[in-house]
Amino acid sequence: MLKRPENPLHRRAIYLLQNTIWSILPLQGGEGKSAKRPPAKFTWRRYTQRRAHLEDLERWFTDHSVGGLGIICGEISQLTVIEFDDAAHYQRFSRQFPELLDTYTVLSANRKLPHLYYHTSFNTENTESTFGSIRSQGKYVVAAGTQIGDRQYE
């Protein structure tokens, strides 16, 4: 039987692995532009084809400097995420599509703007726009609980 990890981020990774269908990956966390990226020399694309196992998590938290978690979007996780980068665009979206707001939502670390998570059985096109982005196949998002600088995704 595995011992309960002391690291709260490691416990969060185990929780996500055991209680969601999402495919997860480690992120560097911390400061700077690389905070939202996987650790150096970590090949994350394999987790677009298969979900991690508990043994993978043990290796991640032993072999890599893990300061955050990501969730892989698309077919493997049956997940599409809309990330808003502008509060006015989110307000407009919420007025126009109030029925789409009843979903799991993560607030970004810096500006506390919403990232709306949708269970999808199909892939959508990845899109970058002035409102933000739509993330699906081959993309990942930063998971709640990840610390970027002195702020946290919630």
Side-chain angles (χ1 to χ4, degrees):
M1 180 164 172
L2 290 173
K3 180 179 117 176
R4 182 173 186 225
E6 292 181 26
N7 180 329
L9 194 59
H10 192 167
R11 288 195 303 271
R12 174 86 173 135
I14 291 170
Y15 175 84
L16 289 172
L17 182 68
Q18 294 178 335
N19 294 286
T20 72
I21 61 169
W22 298 336
S23 183
I24 60 174
L25 71 147
L27 300 179
Q28 292 180 41
E31 302 282 340
K33 289 186 175 191
S34 63
K36 297 179 186 178
R37 295 186 187 134
K41 299 183 182 179
F42 179 83
T43 32
W44 69 271
R45 295 234 181 243
R46 77 180 78 173
Y47 298 103
T48 64
Q49 302 299 314
R50 76 162 182 89
R51 293 181 70 228
H53 303 287
L54 284 173
E55 296 79 16
D56 295 316
L57 300 186
E58 292 299 319
R59 192 171 50 257
W60 296 351
F61 282 90
T62 302
D63 298 347
H64 299 285
S65 177
V66 178
L69 295 173
I71 300 170
I72 297 174
C73 300
E75 187 176 353
I76 188 77
S77 298
Q78 297 179 10
L79 180 65
T80 297
V81 177
I82 300 176
E83 296 182 341
F84 288 92
D85 290 340
D86 179 277
H89 285 108
Y90 173 70
Q91 292 304 322
R92 197 170 311 126
F93 178 88
S94 64
R95 283 191 305 274
Q96 195 166 2
F97 305 105
E99 68 279 5
L100 295 178
L101 302 179
D102 187 19
T103 191
Y104 181 76
T105 302
V106 173
L107 298 178
S108 64
N110 286 333
R111 292 179 282 167
K112 298 299 178 199
L113 292 170
H115 296 180
L116 307 176
Y117 285 50
Y118 297 100
H119 176 82
T120 54
S121 57
F122 54 89
N123 289 322
T124 57
E125 186 174 331
N126 293 303
T127 305
E128 299 285 333
S129 175
T130 56
F131 75 84
S133 58
I134 297 174
R135 306 231 182 243
S136 188
Q137 192 65 26
K139 300 290 185 178
Y140 66 87
V141 293
V142 179
T146 296
Q147 188 91 13
I148 304 294
D150 63 348
R151 298 186 175 136
Q152 184 169 321
Y153 278 73
E154 302 172 344

